Amino acid sequence: MQGTHNVDQTTRADDGDGLDPREAARLLAQTEREARRQFNLSPQWINAVMGAVILVAYGSLWLSTRGQHPYKGPSLGVVALVYAAVAVAFAVSVKVYRRATVGVSGPSVRQQRVEGVAILVSFVLGSPVLQGALRHYGASDAIVYGVIPAAAPLIIVGTTVLGIAASKADWPQFGAALTVVTGGVVAAFVGPSAAWLAAGIALGAGVAVYAAATAKRLSPA
């Protein structure tokens, strides 16, 4: 009996010592990455779609205003194309978000919805209000239909996202937003037509920064 008791103790000790702390840490990190990947609301293919939409939209706006003397703004056809492209990208993003959050509730989901509303309000009200005010005071078409609609949304919405990201310590989002805000500042000083090109480059760079950062965070060790 004494021998059996010693064997059982030895077996239990061996079992307890069999899990290396480093292996346990590796498994924990792997589980965390898998969880992030499972609940990631911005998968890489969405980033690719958004990048393509940005290139088409802002490239078209730039080409439609390039060489205008005096500057009159993008053509109605190009504006309609841009709105259609943005609507498609938004619809895809909403569908993916709803699919990812089916059956999910709690403070984090409510917080994301509040953040979404804040970003939408800053986008809808920011640039149009400034455009209307400047038009009212007789500003030129280059300002009202060029610099402001190209640069202002990047600065206004970008700083909103910057604050949200900082409050959550979401550094991939923070880096992307900072890239966009910086591009918006550049767009404000390069002229009405080039502002569209600068804005498109800044938004594309912001998407690339976010995609690279999230891919690195979610990649296996």
Side-chain angles (χ1 to χ4, degrees), residues 22-162:
R22 289 175 295 181
E23 179 67 13
R26 187 190 68 80
L27 291 174
L28 180 61
Q30 181 178 355
T31 301
E32 182 180 357
R33 285 192 297 270
E34 291 298 330
R36 285 176 177 174
R37 187 179 294 109
Q38 181 68 26
F39 293 102
N40 182 24
L41 300 182
S42 184
Q44 297 305 314
W45 69 270
I46 291 248
N47 291 326
V49 169
M50 293 301 296
V53 168
I54 289 168
L55 290 176
V56 171
Y58 280 84
S60 300
L61 289 167
W62 172 58
L63 290 173
S64 72
T65 59
R66 187 182 181 188
Q68 286 186 355
H69 297 288
Y71 182 91
K72 295 182 179 180
S75 65
L76 293 178
V78 172
V79 172
L81 173 64
V82 170
Y83 275 106
V86 171
V88 170
F90 180 77
V92 171
S93 300
V94 169
K95 185 175 181 179
V96 171
Y97 175 82
R98 288 179 176 176
R99 181 179 298 176
T101 55
V102 169
V104 180
S105 60
S108 61
V109 175
R110 289 194 294 271
Q111 180 182 357
Q112 287 177 349
R113 290 173 180 170
V114 171
E115 292 169 357
V117 171
I119 293 171
L120 181 63
V121 170
S122 66
F123 176 76
V124 171
L125 295 182
S127 179
V129 168
L130 288 175
Q131 285 180 269
L134 289 169
R135 192 62 179 173
H136 175 74
Y137 288 108
S140 66
D141 289 347
I143 298 296
V144 178
Y145 302 119
V147 173
I148 293 300
L154 275 65
I155 297 173
I156 296 171
V157 179
T159 50
T160 301
V161 176
L162 201 64

Side-chain angles (χ1 to χ4, degrees), residues 171-194:
W171 304 124
Q173 189 179 56
F174 184 89
L178 184 60
T179 301
V180 169
V181 172
T182 302
V185 173
V186 172
F189 292 95
V190 295
S193 179

